[in-house]
Amino acid sequence: MSARSRPVDIGVTSARVSGRGSGTRRALILCACLAQVIIVLDTTIVAVALPDAQEGLGFADTGRQWTITAYTLAFGSLLLVGGLLSQRVGIRRSFMIGLAGFGVASLAAGCATSLEMLLAARVAQGVAAALLAPTNLSLMNSAFPDQRGRAGAFAVFGSVAGAGAALGLVLGGVLTELSSWRACFLVNVPLVLGTVIVALVTLRGAPGPVRDRAFTDVAGLVLGSAGICALVLGLSRAEELGWSHPSTLGCLGAGIVLLVLFVAWERTATDPLLPLWIIRDATRGSSYLVILLVGFAQMGSSIYLTFYLQYGLGHSPLRTGLSFLPMVGGLVVAAALSTRLLVPRFGLRVTYPLGALVQAAGFVWLSGLTTDDDFVGTLLGPMVVVGLGLGIVMAPGMSSATHGIGPDRSGLASAVANTSQQVGASLGVAFLSSFASRVAADSFEGSRADLAAATGRGLAAAGADPSSADGLAIVAQLVADFRFEAQVVAYGQGFLATAAFAVLVAVATAVILARGTATRPVPESTSSIDNERTYS
């Protein structure tokens, strides 16, 4: 490995952080976790509140999609920029600027009086999150550069990172029902203020700016950011317009081409924005892959279950949100067991495929959804299993994504991890939403003969004329029932598709780790050598 591409050791700057007492370390974990909660909550908390927000602001259905896309697009496409800035201005300053920006943007969103104002605030939230997110893993990495206390710290952080999206649905349901949709944005303000107070005390020794060389890879920054932007936008267009729409194909094609050019450029750049050894490393590469799976599986399944519970079974936002608690519980338990038991004993070569296969088993179980409102019999067990699978991979994934990376590159490694989760979430929502729509339409068309027969029996039993009020009500109810049955069939097929994707990730991570650990060069920093021994 050349001197230019070699990872830089943690060094004296991080030692000031990692050498502190356990109380300060706990404060650092609290600070990072609070910021992570703020970031991931906004990915899903708005989903449950959207119907009320649409009614309150009076915008069309197309506006609902953009309230989510505006955030994810700004967040995902600017993560590389945020990772670079966190290096150049320092973790503490980046953290504080990102927090302040997110708090102001959340306040603006909660006070929005029009769709345009809401969308502008959502974009501002995404920009602030793109600056804030890379500092979280960098902070954890610098506070725990070696194995002492790292497993427990990342078990907590991984639980927060994985459970945050599901908790967003819970909190969104509670706030919408007990207050209003505006509370789903305004709740960020006290969270931000509390995190600022903790950060002012705990981040004084955080790694400072990296200014030993000027940044020259402008082309890499433009290609990478534009490629991710086009890819995320294309996935959003696929959800709304379908995969064959010219807008979707154009954005996805442009995103793929730009990212290919980005990789080609980074291979030859003198001072690359993202040195490819960061993602070529088997440990980190497989970690980014399982983080992508978490985003795909969690967001896709959350969308399915939200619509199934709230729009299919008629549950309230509060009851819908609380229904996700079993998944959160399974995730938290598995995150602790994974980092403390599975990884130390079996390594990532077993842990990653195991976690992906547990997710696959949970999704296969979830594919047996019915039209009956039976939470305990239908959803409780599989949601716990899915949560266990998510927790098994999420905590070690977050830990290994930056372990062995010095402070001059930790922001970028963190940005890649967050980008993986964001792209996975966008892909999951786009693919599974469009997949369910197509399967539901085909299933409903295939049941038209049964619908006609059921309609005849219903009208005959009620002695109602088809054109009468009673007859029209009977027909409308039967059509709604058949459409719901078709939608449940589609959700079941979607969960099977998610299970298949999880199996592919299990196989891919097993192959990457089995082949990569024997062939890749060992970085020369001590922390990286520890990483090879412990996590491979």
Side-chain angles (χ1 to χ4, degrees):
M1 183 178 293
S2 66
R4 179 174 60 83
S5 62
R6 184 181 304 136
V8 180
D9 199 1
I10 294 297
V12 177
T13 305
S14 289
R16 293 205 309 268
V17 179
S18 60
R20 291 182 175 186
S22 60
T24 301
R25 282 191 167 189
R26 284 194 294 269
L28 287 169
I29 298 173
L30 174 62
C31 191
C33 287
L34 284 173
Q36 189 68 17
V37 166
I38 292 170
I39 293 169
V40 297
L41 273 181
D42 252 61
T43 307
T44 54
I45 193 172
V46 68
V48 180
L50 269 181
D52 285 7
Q54 182 179 8
E55 181 179 353
L57 297 179
F59 54 83
D61 289 346
T62 54
R64 290 192 300 182
Q65 167 68 18
W66 279 105
T67 57
I68 297 176
T69 301
Y71 178 74
T72 58
L73 188 61
F75 183 20
S77 61
L78 294 176
L79 275 167
L80 287 178
V81 178
L84 176 65
L85 289 176
S86 71
Q87 293 175 186
R88 297 293 159 175
V89 305
I91 290 179
R92 184 175 187 270
R93 188 175 298 173
S94 296
F95 194 87
M96 300 302 288
I97 294 173
L99 275 177
F102 204 96
V104 172
S106 297
L107 181 62
C111 298
T113 56
S114 66
L115 175 63
E116 292 74 18
M117 184 177 177
L118 179 60
L119 292 181
R122 292 290 283 166
V123 170
Q125 283 183 311
V127 172
L131 182 60
L132 182 60
T135 65
N136 283 341
L137 283 177
S138 298
L139 180 61
M140 296 290 292
N141 191 50
S142 62
F144 298 90
D146 51 35
Q147 296 305 315
R148 295 190 305 273
R150 186 178 179 91
F154 273 91
V156 175
F157 186 83
S159 298
V160 171
L167 287 172
L169 294 168
V170 176
L171 188 59
V174 172
L175 292 175
T176 301
E177 187 150 325
L178 299 183
S179 182
S180 76
W181 65 269
R182 297 183 184 277
C184 294
F185 296 107
L186 296 177
V187 69
N188 288 321
V189 177
L191 285 174
V192 165
L193 290 175
T195 308
V196 167
I197 293 173
V198 176
L200 287 173
V201 176
T202 60
L203 298 190
R204 292 175 181 172
V210 178
R211 295 171 178 164
D212 58 334
R213 62 180 183 272
F215 175 70
T216 60
D217 192 13
V218 177
L221 182 63
V222 172
L223 287 172
S225 299
I228 295 171
C229 178
L231 186 62
V232 173
L233 181 59
L235 293 172
S236 300
R237 298 287 81 194
E239 181 190 359
E240 182 181 357
L241 303 174
W243 292 91
S244 60
H245 194 277
S247 175
T248 302
L249 295 175
C251 290
L252 291 178
I256 293 172
V257 170
L258 287 168
L259 290 176
V260 169
L261 291 175
F262 170 73
V263 172
W265 176 265
E266 296 301 278
R267 287 173 59 90
T268 59
T270 303
D271 184 20
L273 166 69
L274 181 64
L276 296 185
W277 57 260
I278 291 179
I279 57 178
R280 263 201 314 258
D281 176 87
T283 298
R284 285 188 291 272
S286 58
S287 298
Y288 298 143
L289 187 56
V290 297
I291 291 172
L292 183 143
L293 170 62
V294 168
F296 181 98
Q298 191 173 42
M299 283 302 299
S301 62
S302 295
I303 293 295
Y304 275 5
L305 292 173
T306 297
F307 276 90
Y308 172 72
L309 293 168
Q310 192 165 351
Y311 300 104
L313 299 180
H315 289 188
S316 66
L318 175 59
R319 187 178 176 186
T320 299
L322 294 177
S323 298
F324 284 91
L325 287 178
M327 184 184 294
V328 176
L331 193 153
V332 172
V333 171
L337 291 176
S338 178
T339 53
R340 294 179 181 275
L341 178 63
L342 292 177
V343 174
R345 180 168 296 186
F346 302 107
L348 295 182
R349 282 177 291 182
V350 173
T351 303
Y352 282 169
L354 174 63
L357 291 175
V358 171
Q359 290 179 58
F363 287 123
V364 170
W365 193 356
L366 269 176
S367 68
L369 285 178
T370 69
T371 56
D372 298 327
D373 190 356
D374 182 14
F375 178 81
V376 175
T378 304
L379 292 179
L380 179 60
M383 289 183 74
V384 171
V385 173
V386 169
L388 290 172
L390 292 170
I392 288 173
V393 301
M394 193 61 182
M398 286 292 187
S399 176
S400 301
T402 57
H403 198 212
I405 298 290
D408 66 328
R409 298 293 187 188
S410 62
L412 289 173
S414 302
V416 175
N418 281 280
T419 300
S420 299
Q421 186 173 12
Q422 191 61 43
V423 170
S426 299
L427 177 61
V429 172
F431 172 75
L432 293 175
S433 295
S434 58
F435 180 86
S437 298
R438 180 173 58 80
V439 173
D442 293 343
S443 179
F444 182 75
E445 287 298 320
S447 65
R448 283 196 176 276
D450 293 335
L451 173 59
T455 300
R457 291 193 299 269
L459 292 173
D465 185 271
S467 60
S468 66
D470 290 341
L472 292 174
I474 291 172
V475 172
Q477 183 61 54
L478 287 170
V479 169
D481 291 343
F482 271 77
R483 285 195 182 278
F484 179 46
E485 290 177 5
Q487 197 68 56
V488 170
V489 170
Y491 291 158
Q493 294 295 314
F495 284 128
L496 289 177
T498 307
F501 182 70
V503 171
L504 287 176
V505 171
V507 173
T509 53
V511 171
I512 290 171
L513 288 168
R515 297 181 62 183
T517 53
T519 59
R520 74 178 187 276
V522 178
E524 295 182 12
S525 71
T526 302
S527 60
S528 295
I529 294 173
D530 290 339
N531 189 35
E532 297 287 331
R533 293 171 179 169
T534 304
Y535 284 87
S536 295

